[in-house]
Amino acid sequence: MITDIEDFFAKGCGRCNRFATEACSARKWLPGLERLREICRSAGLVETVKWGHPCYMHAGRNIVLIGALQGDFRLNFFHAALMKDPDGLLERQGPNTQNPDSIRFTSSGQVEERATSIRAYLLEAMAYAEAGILPAKVPQTLELPDELVDAMDADPELAEAFHALTPGRQRSYVIHLSSAKTAATRVSRIERARSNILAGKGANER
């Protein structure tokens, strides 16, 4: 992954084999991404690189992350549960996203069309950061797949390690296993994930 902010706009994030090629999503959407960058910087946000993407901070807190996919590019808000979204711009990034947290663009021109709203949303998020306001924690009950329950019943070391994981990492395994269509696939995934679970890692960590 890249660590220099300029590399993202010149070559991409470095997370796939399209890095520094004409097929890179960042190159495809470059004018729109550069305009988002300009809006974020002009709002007074501090520009950094996190997870291979431009991340913008204020008052010591992550505010937004810029990302590019093949089909669209996005401005993703942290702590999105706080956002009022008066213009109805925020969308959920996926079915497992708790709150609408992303403004999605399918053309570079849409950034300019929404520039006033984007600035207002950034200022709102920055105000929450300055005040130290965080979303209320919503208790969640994980529905563990039967195959995972059986595996932990038969493997106390696995059970202890799984229950020691953070809630987010536990949830990542539930999502990963629940996406499998058959019980056999879920069992196979548990076997492959065992070493990562014992190492305290989430399903998407290497």
Side-chain angles (χ1 to χ4, degrees), residues 145-192:
D146 291 341
E147 294 77 13
L148 180 57
V149 173
D150 291 343
M152 290 193 294
D153 285 345
D155 186 343
E157 186 179 13
L158 175 65
E160 182 178 357
F162 182 82
H163 290 300
L165 294 174
T166 62
R169 289 189 172 102
Q170 290 181 6
R171 187 166 178 263
S172 73
Y173 284 109
V174 171
I175 292 170
H176 179 58
L177 296 174
S178 297
S179 67
K181 294 182 179 179
T182 68
T185 301
R186 287 189 285 276
V187 169
S188 176
R189 289 184 179 182
I190 293 167
E191 292 172 351
R192 291 198 300 270

Side-chain angles (χ1 to χ4, degrees), residues 161 165 173 192-206:
L165 294 174
Y173 284 109
R192 291 198 300 270
R194 186 179 187 276
S195 61
N196 262 18
I197 294 173
L198 295 183
K201 297 178 180 180
N204 300 315
E205 295 178 274
R206 295 291 178 266

Side-chain angles (χ1 to χ4, degrees), residues 121-137:
Y121 282 38
L122 292 175
L123 292 175
E124 179 188 350
M126 292 166 69
Y128 296 136
E130 290 172 6
I133 298 172
L134 292 169
K137 291 187 177 181

Side-chain angles (χ1 to χ4, degrees), residues 1-196:
M1 291 186 292
I2 58 134
T3 56
D4 185 328
I5 188 68
E6 299 302 335
D7 282 344
F8 177 84
F9 297 96
K11 306 175 187 178
C13 66
R15 295 171 65 97
C16 75
N17 57 13
R18 297 195 304 274
F19 179 63
T21 71
E22 290 304 316
C24 175
S25 300
R27 287 192 174 183
K28 177 179 180 179
W29 302 112
L30 184 58
L33 295 170
E34 289 180 329
R35 184 66 181 115
L36 281 178
R37 180 189 195 187
E38 181 182 338
I39 293 171
C40 289
R41 293 171 72 173
S42 67
L45 291 165
V46 176
E47 187 176 61
T48 62
V49 177
K50 294 191 178 184
W51 310 286
H53 291 79
C55 181
Y56 296 86
M57 303 181 66
H58 183 69
R61 197 155 94 185
N62 297 331
I63 302 298
V64 287
L65 190 80
I66 289 177
L69 303 173
Q70 284 294 293
D72 59 63
F73 61 105
R74 304 177 182 190
L75 186 67
N76 301 321
F77 283 78
F78 294 87
H79 306 298
L82 294 171
M83 301 299 294
K84 295 183 174 65
D85 194 18
D87 298 327
L89 297 181
L90 295 175
E91 304 177 23
R92 285 182 170 83
Q93 292 191 63
N96 298 306
T97 304
Q98 292 182 17
N99 299 286
D101 62 350
S102 180
I103 301 179
R104 188 168 64 92
F105 307 90
T106 54
S107 73
S108 296
Q110 289 178 338
V111 178
E112 197 57 48
E113 293 169 4
R114 302 172 182 176
T116 300
S117 294
I118 293 169
R119 289 191 189 93
Y121 282 38
L122 292 175
L123 292 175
E124 179 188 350
M126 292 166 69
Y128 296 136
E130 290 172 6
I133 298 172
L134 292 169
K137 291 187 177 181
V138 179
Q140 291 186 325
T141 302
L142 282 178
E143 293 289 338
L144 302 183
D146 291 341
E147 294 77 13
L148 180 57
V149 173
D150 291 343
M152 290 193 294
D153 285 345
D155 186 343
E157 186 179 13
L158 175 65
E160 182 178 357
F162 182 82
H163 290 300
L165 294 174
T166 62
R169 289 189 172 102
Q170 290 181 6
R171 187 166 178 263
S172 73
Y173 284 109
V174 171
I175 292 170
H176 179 58
L177 296 174
S178 297
S179 67
K181 294 182 179 179
T182 68
T185 301
R186 287 189 285 276
V187 169
S188 176
R189 289 184 179 182
I190 293 167
E191 292 172 351
R192 291 198 300 270
R194 186 179 187 276
S195 61
N196 262 18

